[in-house]
Amino acid sequence: MDELIKLISDLIRFKTTADNPVEIRKCADYIIKYLEDKEMIIKKHVKNEKVSIVVTFKDTKKPDIFLNAHFDVVPASTHLFEPKIENDNLYGRGSSDCKGQVAALMNLMKHFSKYEKKPNIGLMLTSDEEVHSSNGVEYLLSELGYSANLAIVCDAGDDFNIVTKHKGVLQVKISAVGKAVHSSHYWGGINAIEKLIEAYDKIKKLFPKLTKAEWKTTSTLTKIAGGDVLNKVPDYAELYLDIRYTEKDSEEEIMKKLGNVESVQIEKVASALMLETDDNDVYVNKLKISAEKILKRKIKISYEHGATDARFFSEKKIPAFMFKPLGGGAHSDEEYLVISSLEPFHKIMVDFIENASK
């Protein structure tokens, strides 16, 4: 356990933010050096300064199972890149999202490297999950042809629950055009901000207003801008919506509904597909059996509201789900990993892989 804690701590010290390609390369080199000489085939891929590492026991682009995590992190104050331990928690940027999992999976590969008959599994580590993943998992699957019969993405889930679905993402810009005049003669103009507000009042009614977590499509106003000086009726205004949708909706259906709102223009900014894996998938059931055996209690199947790299596997019709050690506070100053959860996580994964490989 001490070696694993040191490994996590070392990874946290690398400031692997999107704007720091030097640290991303250094971290990748550290990972590769750790895994060398362990009877593994290690391949490094780079696209737009984002490094991905693929590790297998066989020379294949399609192992039975890919284990996935990312070693990039969101920006943070300098002190958060120095890990600290308090009681059973290890604090630091990336401890829970997702360097703790990276280290746990590296340790898992090291464990299986000692087997005479090694399982046909692979480790896929990327460095751009926090910035849309086009140079990481998507690149590896769509351009380099990597695949698998199953992917376990260790980036979401609470209390050892298995996450089989996460919402899709649709981000849109809504704009309104008006007519500029001096504000003292506003009746001669058309106020673009007012047009936008009127339209947004209609848009809000298209989505439920939630007061707690529910598996429903949601829309959040995340940015708004309009006008340039205080004495002019604004002739342009825009706002941005972050929409998270379930399997009951689709990107096309939502865009059609938005398009029916008059007097504004609708433009898609970005989107991401859902993760959708059958709750009764054979691999889901096998992991559930392993987890309940090790933990000696029932675990749940759950759904996640945020998006992850699991969506790219789902898009390729590769069954995928999420599972990870305990922790929390992702992207906050209080991000932490529960140290005592690392051992049961390791035992569950070993038991699952041994049984899934039979």
Side-chain angles (χ1 to χ4, degrees):
M1 183 60 69
D2 289 344
E3 179 184 348
L4 183 54
I5 297 301
K6 180 184 183 303
L7 177 58
I8 298 170
S9 299
D10 287 348
L11 293 176
I12 288 173
R13 292 187 178 99
F14 291 102
K15 298 177 181 178
T16 51
T17 53
D19 61 348
N20 203 334
V22 172
E23 284 288 286
I24 287 175
R25 288 197 298 271
K26 287 181 178 178
C27 186
D29 290 343
Y30 176 96
I31 292 169
I32 291 170
K33 184 176 181 180
Y34 179 89
L35 293 173
E36 280 178 342
D37 301 324
K38 302 292 190 306
E39 299 188 35
M40 303 178 205
I41 298 169
I42 303 172
K43 296 183 179 180
K44 182 170 78 171
H45 302 286
V46 182
K47 183 180 181 183
N48 294 325
E49 297 188 312
K50 304 302 182 186
V51 182
S52 297
I53 302 166
V54 179
V55 185
T56 55
F57 293 120
K58 298 180 179 180
D59 190 8
T60 178
K61 283 190 172 183
K62 188 180 179 180
D64 291 337
I65 301 170
F66 254 130
L67 309 171
N68 169 250
H70 64 92
F71 57 93
D72 60 315
V73 297
V74 297
S77 300
T78 301
H79 74 278
L80 293 177
F81 291 97
E82 184 55 44
K84 64 177 182 178
I85 295 175
E86 292 183 4
N87 299 318
D88 193 28
N89 294 338
L90 192 161
Y91 292 90
R93 175 58 80 238
S95 54
S96 180
D97 184 23
C98 186
K99 289 179 175 177
Q101 293 91 299
V102 169
L105 296 180
M106 291 167 63
N107 186 56
L108 190 68
M109 293 297 285
K110 182 178 178 181
H111 171 86
F112 280 116
S113 72
K114 300 172 184 176
Y115 282 34
E116 183 177 348
K117 184 179 180 182
K118 299 171 180 58
N120 187 17
I121 61 174
L123 175 62
M124 181 183 287
L125 303 177
T126 61
S127 62
D128 75 333
E129 193 274 345
E130 301 292 359
V131 284
H132 305 305
S133 308
S134 58
N135 299 307
V137 172
E138 183 179 24
Y139 166 64
L140 295 173
L141 298 180
S142 297
E143 296 187 38
L144 298 188
Y146 283 97
S147 185
N149 297 324
L150 169 71
I152 302 178
V153 179
C154 301
D155 196 21
D158 297 317
D159 199 28
F160 288 115
N161 294 334
I162 303 171
V163 179
T164 58
K165 292 181 184 179
H166 70 54
K167 291 181 178 179
V169 181
L170 175 61
Q171 296 171 331
V172 297
K173 179 175 79 172
I174 301 174
S175 59
V177 177
K179 178 183 177 183
V181 295
H182 196 285
S183 57
S184 64
H185 294 77
Y186 69 86
W187 51 85
I190 300 174
N191 193 312
I193 293 177
E194 291 183 352
K195 281 180 66 176
L196 190 64
I197 291 172
E198 290 173 2
Y200 181 60
D201 283 339
K202 297 175 182 177
I203 290 170
K204 285 195 296 184
K205 295 175 182 177
L206 299 175
F207 302 92
K209 184 175 178 60
L210 304 184
T211 57
K212 61 180 181 179
E214 294 185 57
W215 191 246
K216 295 180 179 180
T217 297
T218 61
S219 173
T220 304
L221 173 60
T222 56
K223 184 179 178 182
I224 187 167
D228 49 11
V229 294
L230 296 180
N231 61 349
K232 186 179 79 172
V233 171
D235 60 357
Y236 180 80
E238 64 184 26
L239 62 79
Y240 291 80
L241 300 179
D242 183 83
I243 299 167
R244 304 295 171 124
Y245 64 87
T246 73
E247 67 276 11
K248 294 182 179 179
D249 289 297
S250 69
E251 180 181 316
E252 293 74 18
E253 291 169 345
I254 295 169
M255 288 296 290
K256 184 177 180 180
K257 289 179 182 179
L258 294 174
N260 290 331
V261 178
E262 298 178 347
S263 302
V264 291
Q265 292 73 49
I266 312 294
E267 178 185 342
K268 183 175 82 170
V269 176
S271 64
L273 295 174
M274 285 188 64
L275 164 67
E276 291 187 87
T277 298
D278 190 336
D279 291 354
N280 295 312
D281 177 86
V282 61
Y283 288 116
V284 173
N285 287 328
K286 285 186 176 183
L287 180 59
K288 191 170 185 290
I289 291 170
S290 292
E292 291 180 346
K293 180 172 74 173
I294 300 300
L295 299 173
K296 295 181 170 53
R297 64 174 176 84
K298 295 291 185 181
I299 65 163
K300 298 178 181 178
I301 304 298
S302 64
Y303 303 157
E304 177 66 37
H305 296 275
T308 73
D309 280 349
R311 68 187 189 270
F312 296 111
F313 294 100
S314 191
E315 182 182 0
K316 295 294 184 182
K317 309 301 181 186
I318 300 170
F321 50 79
M322 294 178 283
F323 185 72
K324 72 178 188 68
L326 306 185
H331 297 195
S332 78
D333 288 357
E334 300 301 320
E335 183 177 356
Y336 69 95
L337 174 73
V338 178
I339 295 170
S340 61
S341 71
L342 292 169
E343 184 175 356
F345 175 80
H346 178 81
K347 290 180 177 178
I348 291 166
M349 294 299 290
V350 169
D351 188 81
F352 166 75
I353 290 171
E354 287 179 346
N355 287 293
S357 300
K358 291 179 180 178

